[in-house]
Amino acid sequence: MPTSVTMPELGESVTEGTVTQWLKQEGDRVEADEPLLEVATDKVDTEIPAPAAGVLSRILVSEDETVGIGAEIAVIGGEDEAAGGGGGQAEAPAAEAPAAEPREQAPAPAPEPEPAPQPQAAAPAEPDPEPAPTSQPRPSREDVTPPVDVETVSGTGRSADTDAVTEAYVTPLVRKLAAEEGVDLGTVQGTGVGGRIRKQDVQEAAARKRRGGQAGGGGGRAPAPARRPVVADTKLRGTTETMSRLRQTIADQMAESLRISAEVTQVVEVDVTDIARLRDRAAAQFEEREGVELGFFPFFALATVEALKAHPKLNAVINSADYEVTYHSLENLGISVDTDPGLLVPVVKDAGDLNLGGLARKIADLTERAHTGSLNPDELSGGTFTLADTGAVGALFDTPIINQPQVGILSTGAVVKRPVVVDDPELGEVIAVRSMMYLALTHDHRLIDSADAARFLQDLRARLEEGAFEAEVGLA
């Protein structure tokens, strides 16, 4: 029985998907749960597995075509069809066998060994019969994306054997990604069927490479900017390319947000010296207990969630058609993550129910999986307020754009030590070195006035400057 392949559910807020690449072609045999195609959505890129084993008899949706959830995209023929087709071909030679007997008595077998060297000459082409169905679309794809993906991968020391393996198990998309990330495919262990190297394998290898480069210096974010201008950015000079689907989505959403909301940004300065000292005291114990490092960001997340509970206007959604406002009863905190493909915002669901350790673990998990491409669409939707870690790239502050349909987004700047005038109980005003940062809140002026935003920021600043998180880090 033929099996229909449909565009699957890809998340509660996802209504359509774009076929970015077929991993199998018509006539190819597929196994159940074997990756069949790659699909991109507004939220995430993912591989779609085959729902049944058989032969891919028809592809109904071409690459770069967008269809709705539930639409039929391919047909897989059943096991009986595959067996039937093979049996028919086997019977024909059997029927001809008697007629061929006189020919077998002729001296024809003598010249037959002579072509034996020809199979050896053709041996390097052996991989062609297997990827033959996929080799036809590859030239057009590689023509569109210049040979950087092949040339860079072939760099040094690649033999004919590795060429065959790469051709058989690595798609052009994966080769291109490996080239952009500077990942040697010879060092990557494929997790796909038959050892095929998947996109996720390259992303995980790239993430490990980044972490390895960060281990020595402690300034983990510095190597990335140093690498990108050499490997990625400089090769873009003088070129023209189509934006990736993720980049297109970000562009459309940011422009739409500015069109919909009356966005105003307010900035306050915060002294987080007490938190910095608390981190120094509790970092080792916290990491041993929670399994993650104790950075500044979890403190900012916890204080933000507490402030949202006290200021529900910042945790709301506006129905513009009816001029209705819905105030959320929970805090789903979106966390912006800078990945190589583009900005992603995974969501910490029910963040208001988590303590500092729970937030730290969840943020670390979502951030790691955002970099390795293993988030599911539901983890990228449902946010009620967004927290952007601008300080992660060294910026003091920015003016973030609201992530629709939310009404607010908070940007946390870099924590820097500098001289500040402080009031000393005994000496009066003195200059001291303090750990300082900026909080930038962009809010929708349709609902939130500047005074509302100021009260939210003042409460948030007071919570952070108080620094009373001893119980949260296990020192109480």
Side-chain angles (χ1 to χ4, degrees), residues 312-314 316-318 325 327 407 444-449 452:
K313 272 191 176 182
L314 274 296
V317 61
I318 300 174
V325 180
Y327 303 98
V407 295
D444 192 339
H445 210 332
R446 294 180 300 165
L447 174 64
I448 302 158
D449 294 332
D452 297 322

Side-chain angles (χ1 to χ4, degrees), residues 292-457:
V292 295
E293 293 183 2
L294 181 59
F296 281 103
F297 198 67
F299 291 97
F300 304 153
L302 180 61
T304 298
V305 169
E306 293 174 356
L308 290 174
K309 293 179 179 180
H311 300 271
K313 272 191 176 182
L314 274 296
N315 196 44
V317 61
I318 300 174
N319 184 335
S320 301
D322 300 328
Y323 289 96
E324 287 184 349
V325 180
T326 299
Y327 303 98
H328 297 295
S329 60
L330 46 76
E331 295 76 32
N332 289 342
L333 193 63
I335 304 295
S336 66
V337 180
D338 175 33
T339 71
D340 288 338
L343 186 69
L344 295 177
V345 187
V347 178
V348 180
K349 301 293 177 65
D350 296 319
D353 295 336
L354 300 176
N355 59 16
L356 184 70
L359 282 170
R361 291 194 305 272
K362 192 64 177 177
I363 291 169
D365 172 62
L366 291 173
T367 300
E368 174 69 18
R369 291 193 291 115
H371 283 295
T372 58
S374 54
L375 293 171
N376 64 61
D378 286 338
E379 291 175 315
L380 291 162
S381 60
T384 62
F385 186 87
T386 298
L387 191 58
D389 187 11
T390 305
V393 292
L396 293 179
F397 71 88
D398 67 354
T399 56
I401 298 175
I402 294 172
N403 188 14
Q404 296 294 325
Q406 300 166 21
V407 295
I409 178 173
L410 181 69
S411 171
T412 62
V415 177
V416 296
K417 288 184 177 181
R418 56 185 176 83
V420 178
V421 176
V422 298
D423 287 325
D424 184 272
E426 297 181 357
L427 303 177
E429 292 183 347
V430 296
I431 297 177
V433 176
R434 309 289 290 180
S435 295
M436 306 296 296
M437 66 168 297
Y438 293 102
L439 296 177
L441 173 68
T442 297
H443 58 279
D444 192 339
H445 210 332
R446 294 180 300 165
L447 174 64
I448 302 158
D449 294 332
S450 294
D452 297 322
R455 283 187 285 268
F456 174 85
L457 286 173

Side-chain angles (χ1 to χ4, degrees), residues 39 45 52 69 114 122 176 191 257 265 354 449:
V39 171
D45 294 350
I69 301 302
E114 295 181 7
K176 184 171 184 289
T191 60
S257 180
T265 302
L354 300 176
D449 294 332

Side-chain angles (χ1 to χ4, degrees), residues 8 37 59 94 105 123 149 186 207 248 260 291 308 341 358 398 418 430 447:
L37 71 155
I59 292 178
Q105 298 173 358
D149 55 330
Q248 293 177 39
I260 293 174
L308 290 174
D398 67 354
R418 56 185 176 83
V430 296
L447 174 64

Side-chain angles (χ1 to χ4, degrees), residues 171-348:
T171 65
L173 179 66
V174 171
R175 290 200 304 272
K176 184 171 184 289
L177 178 62
E180 292 172 347
E181 293 286 0
V183 172
D184 181 2
L185 288 174
T187 64
V188 178
Q189 179 66 43
T191 60
V193 174
R196 185 175 65 84
I197 298 176
R198 305 164 64 212
K199 177 177 66 177
Q200 288 85 348
D201 299 327
V202 174
Q203 290 170 329
E204 289 175 3
R208 288 193 298 270
K209 183 179 178 181
R210 284 192 294 267
R211 289 196 298 271
Q214 295 170 6
R221 305 183 188 277
R227 174 182 62 86
R228 286 174 181 161
V230 176
V231 178
D233 291 348
T234 55
K235 71 179 182 182
L236 298 179
R237 297 182 63 193
T239 66
T240 301
E241 66 177 8
T242 301
M243 284 183 173
S244 67
R245 181 168 176 82
L246 176 59
R247 196 74 254 167
Q248 293 177 39
T249 299
I250 294 172
D252 291 342
Q253 289 180 346
M254 295 300 96
E256 183 71 2
S257 180
L258 292 173
R259 186 191 69 81
I260 293 174
S261 299
E263 302 196 1
V264 180
T265 302
Q266 193 171 126
V267 181
V268 298
E269 190 176 35
V270 183
D271 185 340
V272 292
T273 304
D274 288 346
I275 293 178
R277 292 171 177 169
L278 186 62
R279 286 181 61 233
D280 291 340
R281 293 165 50 202
Q285 178 181 339
F286 183 89
E287 184 172 359
E288 182 178 356
R289 183 178 68 251
E290 304 293 346
V292 295
E293 293 183 2
L294 181 59
F296 281 103
F297 198 67
F299 291 97
F300 304 153
L302 180 61
T304 298
V305 169
E306 293 174 356
L308 290 174
K309 293 179 179 180
H311 300 271
K313 272 191 176 182
L314 274 296
N315 196 44
V317 61
I318 300 174
N319 184 335
S320 301
D322 300 328
Y323 289 96
E324 287 184 349
V325 180
T326 299
Y327 303 98
H328 297 295
S329 60
L330 46 76
E331 295 76 32
N332 289 342
L333 193 63
I335 304 295
S336 66
V337 180
D338 175 33
T339 71
D340 288 338
L343 186 69
L344 295 177
V345 187
V347 178
V348 180

